[in-house]
Amino acid sequence: MIAQAHECVWQKAVMEHMKYGTVARLAIKASDYYESFLSNCNSLVPDYWKTIGEIKHNYFKAVAQYQKANEAISSGRYGEEIARLYLAKSNNAAAIQKLSELTNPTLHPSFVQQIYTLDHSIDRDLIRAEKDNDVVYMETVPQPNQLAPILRSDMAKPILPSFILDPSYWLVLTERPNDSLFIKRPLFEKLVPFAVHQAVSVYNDKKNYIVQNDIIEKNSVLEQEYQKVITELRLPYSLDIIDTLPKELLTYAEEVQDLGGIQTLNDMLHKIQDMSKKALGLIEEGFNALEEENEQDAMLSKQYGKRKYII
C-alpha cells in the first residue's frame, strides 16, 4: 500500500510536468518500495501479485533512468544520456517480459500502454542520441557502475492513526457525544480470543459431521429401502388395478350367506365359547384329581417309606 501511495505521488508529479530529476527521484523510490514488497512476499501472496510487483519494480526503475537521461541531455551530458537510456531499455524490457507472463489481466490498460509508450520513447531517443554523439559530440559513454546513483524522494510513510495506537482515545471524546464514531469504549475490547474461534470451528465441524453421517446419510439409506419396497410391491399401481374381489372370497361369502349369514357366525362363536368354558372346567377337574393323588402319594410315602413290593 505504501508503494501504491508513492506511485500516486509520482503520477501527480508527471501530470504537473515537474522537473526530470524530481520525477526520477520519485520513480526510483517507487521502484524500491515494490522491490521491498517482493522481498517480503510469502507463500500466501498470489503469484500474479508477485508478477505485478516485478513489472512495476522494473518499470519505475526504467522511468527513473529515462528521466535522468532527459536531465543529462538538458545539461549537455550526452554520454551519460546514452548510458542511462540503455539502462532504461534493459529495465523496461524486463517489465515487458514479466507482463507477457501475467495470466491474470489485473493491470489497468492505461498502465500497460504506459509501459509500451516508454519502450517506444526509449528506442526513439536512443537512436537519436547515438547518432548525435557519434557525429557531433563524440563523448565517451560511461559504464553503468560509473553513473551517479539516483537520489530518493520518500513521499509516503506508514502512519498509524492515534485511535489505533491509543485505544483510550475513544474514552475521552466527551466533546463528541453525538458522533456516530464515538463508541465510548476501547477498541478491540470485545475481541473474541482465538481459542474461542477454534472451539467454534471444532463445534461446526462436529455438527456438520453428525448431520451428514447420522441424519442425511441414514435418511438416504431409508429412502432407498422405501423406494425398493414400493417398487417390489408395485405400489400404488397394484392398488389401482383391483376392480373386483377375488373369486375365492366371493365363494366363501356366498357359503356364509347360505348358512344363515352373520347370525350363524355369531351362534358358532357363542358355541365355541361355551365349549371352551366346558373344556377349561374339565382341565381344572383333571388338575384337581392329579393334585389329590399327589398329596395321597406323599402321605403314604411318608407313612410306609419308599419300599419296593414284589407281587
Side-chain angles (χ1 to χ4, degrees):
M1 293 180 67
I2 299 177
Q4 292 174 322
H6 196 87
E7 182 180 346
C8 292
V9 177
W10 166 82
Q11 187 67 48
K12 184 175 184 295
V14 173
M15 294 173 63
E16 294 179 355
H17 304 286
M18 291 188 177
K19 294 181 179 180
Y20 297 129
T22 301
V23 177
R25 289 194 296 272
L26 292 172
I28 197 65
K29 188 60 182 179
S31 177
D32 291 345
Y33 277 130
Y34 281 109
E35 184 179 21
S36 176
F37 161 73
L38 293 172
S39 63
N40 289 284
C41 284
N42 53 33
S43 59
L44 299 178
V45 178
D47 291 337
Y48 71 91
W49 282 23
K50 298 177 184 178
T51 305
I52 291 174
E54 292 176 352
I55 292 172
K56 292 200 172 186
H57 164 62
N58 288 292
Y59 169 73
F60 283 112
K61 187 180 288 187
V63 169
Q65 294 294 345
Y66 181 72
Q67 294 294 330
K68 290 297 288 185
N70 290 333
E71 184 184 53
I73 190 175
S74 63
S75 301
R77 302 190 300 274
Y78 304 104
E80 179 183 345
E81 178 198 11
I82 296 173
R84 291 195 181 277
L85 285 174
Y86 272 113
L87 288 176
K89 178 66 177 177
S90 175
N91 292 322
N92 202 56
I96 293 175
Q97 173 63 31
K98 288 297 179 181
L99 186 62
S100 64
E101 299 175 3
L102 188 64
T103 57
N104 191 353
T106 55
L107 281 174
H108 197 275
S110 62
F111 184 80
V112 176
Q113 184 62 37
Q114 287 179 10
I115 297 176
Y116 288 107
T117 300
L118 177 63
D119 192 65
H120 175 73
S121 299
I122 293 171
D123 290 339
R124 180 197 61 206
D125 291 353
L126 191 57
I127 293 172
R128 186 263 311 154
E130 286 184 327
K131 181 179 179 181
D132 290 348
N133 191 57
D134 292 341
V135 175
V136 180
Y137 307 112
M138 292 180 289
E139 285 192 7
T140 302
V141 178
Q143 296 297 320
N145 56 5
Q146 296 175 333
L147 296 173
I150 303 175
L151 300 178
R152 270 72 171 165
S153 292
D154 193 356
M155 302 300 293
K157 293 182 180 180
I159 300 176
L160 290 176
S162 58
F163 58 83
I164 297 295
L165 292 174
D166 183 15
S168 62
Y169 168 85
W170 295 97
L171 298 176
V172 296
L173 299 182
T174 55
E175 69 278 7
R176 296 163 55 187
N178 298 322
D179 195 332
S180 60
L181 296 177
F182 184 33
I183 59 177
K184 301 180 182 180
R185 58 179 174 80
L187 291 179
F188 313 119
E189 181 184 36
K190 295 185 177 181
L191 185 65
V192 179
F194 181 67
V196 176
H197 287 283
Q198 286 182 316
V200 172
S201 178
V202 171
Y203 164 76
N204 288 330
D205 291 341
K206 289 186 176 180
K207 180 187 68 175
N208 293 334
Y209 176 81
I210 291 173
V211 170
Q212 181 66 32
N213 292 274
D214 294 347
I215 298 178
I216 297 178
E217 289 188 3
K218 290 185 178 180
N219 180 70
S220 178
V221 172
L222 293 175
E223 183 68 23
Q224 292 176 0
E225 292 181 357
Y226 164 75
Q227 293 296 336
K228 181 180 178 181
V229 172
I230 290 296
T231 303
E232 291 177 352
L233 297 177
R234 296 189 301 172
L235 294 174
Y237 308 107
S238 59
L239 297 177
D240 297 335
I241 62 176
I242 298 177
D243 296 330
T244 59
L245 295 175
K247 292 182 178 180
E248 294 182 356
L249 185 59
L250 293 175
T251 302
Y252 293 148
E254 291 177 357
E255 291 180 0
V256 171
Q257 291 295 333
D258 293 339
L259 294 175
I262 298 298
Q263 185 61 41
T264 301
L265 293 177
N266 289 331
D267 294 341
M268 293 174 65
L269 181 60
H270 290 307
K271 186 177 181 180
I272 291 173
Q273 290 176 349
D274 293 339
M275 293 175 65
S276 175
K277 290 179 181 179
K278 291 180 180 180
L280 288 175
L282 293 173
I283 292 173
E284 187 175 356
E285 290 178 1
F287 275 117
N288 291 334
L290 290 173
E291 187 175 355
E292 289 179 0
E293 289 183 3
N294 188 35
E295 291 177 355
Q296 187 177 5
D297 180 69
M299 183 183 65
L300 293 175
S301 296
K302 184 177 180 181
Q303 182 178 357
Y304 298 103
K306 295 183 179 181
R307 300 175 184 177
K308 294 183 180 180
Y309 296 95
I310 299 175
I311 301 176

